Amino acid sequence: MRERTILLITLLGLGLLAVGVAVVVVVEPLPEIATVEAQLLSQGLKIFFGIAAVVFLGVEGLLVFASVRGHLQGKSQAQVSSGLEMVWIGLPAVLVAVIVIYSVNLLSDIEAPASDAMVVTVTARQFEWEFYYVDAAVSSDTLVLPVGKPVELLFTSADVIHSFWVPAFGEKIDAVPDMVTSLTVTPLKTGIFRGVCAELCGAGHETMQADVLIQDPAVFEAWLTSSR
Ligand SMILES: [Cu+2]
C-alpha cells in the first residue's frame, strides 16, 4: 500500500510538471508581440500561468485523493501531522517569495531606461495624439518607429486624462495633464500595430486611435528626413 501511494504521488508530480511545462510552451498570453519589453512580459506571464496550473491541479488532485482514500478507509475526519502542516505552510511561502523576486527583476528589466534611446514626446488631446521627435524636431500625428532602436516615449496631456494602449506592446500608459509619464519600447518587427486611447476621455473617445507604424531603420530615417 505504501509503495503504491509513493508511486501514485510520483506519477502525479510528473504529470503536474508536464502540465506546467505544456502551459509555459503552448499558451501565449499576449495577442501579438511587437517589442522586446512585450516579449519579456510574455515570458513572465507564461511562467506565472505554468506555476498557477501546477498549484491548482496539485491542490485539487490531493483533495480528491485524500477524500477518496478517507472514504475507503471509513474515516470521517482527517488526522493531520505537524510535518504535513509545515509543508503546506512552507511550500507556498517559498513559492510566493520566488515569484516576488522574479517579478521585481522582470519589472526592472522592462522599465530600465536605455541610455541611447531616441526621445519622442507625446501630447494627448481630445481626440488625437501628437508625436514630437525631439532630436529631429519633427511632429507627426502617427507614431513611426525604427526596428531595433530603443525609444523613450514621454507622455503628457493638454486637457483630460488619456491612455496610450497598443496591445502588441504589452503595456498601457496614462497621459495626464501637468505630468510626464514615460514608456521605453524597443521594436522587434516591422508592421502596423493597432492602438487606441484606453481611457474614456469625452464624446469622441472612440475615434482616438493610436496605431503605430514600425519600419526598417533606413526607411524610418528617410521618413524622418522628408518630414523635416
Ligand atoms: Cu483619449
Side-chain angles (χ1 to χ4, degrees):
M1 180 68 193
R2 199 177 151 75
E3 272 177 15
R4 251 187 69 197
T5 308
I6 290 170
L7 182 71
L8 207 67
I9 288 174
T10 308
L11 286 176
L12 181 72
L14 287 174
L16 287 176
L17 205 65
V19 171
V21 171
V23 168
V24 170
V25 172
V26 175
V27 176
E28 179 48 66
L30 297 182
E32 203 179 2
I33 293 173
T35 63
V36 173
E37 293 73 14
Q39 201 170 45
L40 287 171
L41 206 64
S42 163
Q43 281 165 10
L45 287 171
K46 283 174 159 193
I47 290 171
F48 296 148
F49 286 146
I51 293 173
V54 168
V55 169
F56 175 74
L57 293 174
V59 169
E60 296 303 312
L62 283 174
L63 192 68
V64 171
F65 173 74
S67 306
V68 171
R69 202 177 68 155
H71 180 73
L72 290 178
Q73 291 176 350
K75 286 181 185 166
S76 60
Q77 222 168 7
Q79 281 167 355
V80 179
S81 69
S82 60
L84 200 59
E85 265 183 353
M86 293 301 285
V87 170
W88 79 51
I89 292 169
L91 211 59
V94 171
L95 206 58
V96 169
V98 168
I99 290 173
V100 167
I101 292 166
Y102 179 77
S103 305
V104 169
N105 273 327
L106 185 69
L107 205 61
S108 76
D109 282 351
I110 289 172
E111 291 184 340
S115 55
D116 58 339
M118 173 175 77
V119 178
V120 178
T121 62
V122 186
T123 307
R125 64 174 65 89
Q126 291 166 320
F127 298 94
E128 59 186 16
W129 303 91
E130 187 193 333
F131 303 96
Y132 181 71
Y133 297 77
V134 176
D135 286 343
V138 165
S139 256
S140 169
D141 57 3
T142 307
L143 182 58
V144 184
L145 297 176
V147 168
K149 189 168 171 57
V151 182
E152 191 179 9
L153 300 164
L154 300 173
F155 292 84
T156 193
S157 169
D159 38 48
V160 298
I161 298 175
H162 301 270
S163 189
F164 183 81
W165 182 42
V166 179
F169 284 7
E171 296 172 276
K172 190 161 70 114
I173 186 142
D174 281 0
V176 185
D178 301 323
M179 206 174 146
V180 176
T181 51
S182 76
L183 187 70
T184 302
V185 293
T186 313
L188 264 181
K189 58 179 181 184
T190 58
I192 297 172
F193 300 93
R194 298 300 308 264
V196 290
C197 174
E199 184 77 46
L200 182 58
C201 57
H205 162 68
E206 77 284 357
T207 63
M208 199 167 165
Q209 307 293 324
D211 294 353
V212 178
L213 180 58
I214 299 178
Q215 299 177 324
D216 280 324
V219 179
F220 169 78
E221 285 303 330
W223 170 80
L224 202 60
T225 307
S226 69
S227 304
R228 270 184 189 136

